[in-house]
Amino acid sequence: MPKRFAQEQKNIITNIILENDDFIDPSGIVLTETQPANIGWEVVNGSIKFPESPVVVEPPPPPPPPPPPPQTVFTKYQFRSRFTLAELVAIDNFASSSTLTDIQKATLTTITKNFDAADSIDVTNSATIQGVEYLVTAGLLTQDRATEILK
């Protein structure tokens, strides 16, 4: 049967260990099988003093769970909801804009067709990022808004 030892520092039990019968710990107090002892109890003249009110050492609270990762995949409606009404009107009606060149309108047509074909929109996807950045190039969004939309 293993021996139990109470190790103490400055008259307070700091550790209780189990060791084989042949183990000798000159600094520890050998405990009997039924002798109570807990970390934090006092040692007086080599004897363990049973505390009048037991020392309760509360474990530290667990750390808070990490925050959930930011959402990056949206339904098409959720993605459109990231734009203001004025931005959506400008984007939805780019074909009638007199300030856009034919090549810009063709590029925007391709971007909107890709958007329409998608099941969902991932704001970390390179095609989504390029499409939103092109809206800045075409003057339909500011760079600050594009950055905010892609968050």
Side-chain angles (χ1 to χ4, degrees):
M1 177 109 186
K3 289 182 186 175
R4 291 186 322 142
F5 292 89
Q7 296 178 321
E8 53 104 2
Q9 288 181 349
K10 298 181 182 178
N11 297 330
I12 300 294
I13 295 175
T14 57
N15 196 15
I16 296 178
I17 58 173
L18 294 174
E19 287 294 342
N20 294 331
D21 285 338
D22 56 347
F23 178 79
I24 299 174
D25 182 3
S27 66
I29 301 168
V30 179
L31 303 171
T32 65
E33 288 182 37
T34 59
Q35 185 177 12
N38 279 316
I39 294 173
W41 286 15
E42 189 176 9
V43 177
V44 178
N45 296 325
S47 298
I48 297 171
K49 180 180 175 189
F50 186 80
E52 292 175 19
S53 57
V55 176
V56 177
V57 179
E58 292 288 330
Q71 181 180 356
T72 62
V73 179
F74 300 91
T75 66
K76 289 190 270 190
Y77 181 77
Q78 288 173 322
F79 182 70
R80 280 182 61 85
S81 296
R82 297 171 80 85
F83 294 83
T84 66
L85 180 59
E87 291 165 347
L88 287 171
V89 168
I91 293 165
D92 290 345
N93 295 289
F94 71 86
S96 62
S97 172
S98 60
T99 60
L100 296 174
T101 66
D102 288 342
I103 197 77
Q104 287 176 315
K105 290 179 183 181
T107 303
L108 289 167
T109 298
T110 300
I111 290 169
T112 56
K113 283 185 178 184
N114 284 346
F115 173 80
D116 290 340
D119 291 327
S120 59
I121 306 298
D122 183 348
V123 294
T124 63
N125 180 284
S126 62
T128 303
I129 295 167
Q130 287 174 338
V132 171
E133 291 294 331
Y134 194 79
L135 296 174
V136 174
T137 301
L140 301 173
L141 278 182
T142 65
Q143 184 60 58
D144 287 344
R145 285 293 297 137
T147 302
E148 190 174 332
I149 289 165
L150 292 171
K151 276 189 195 176

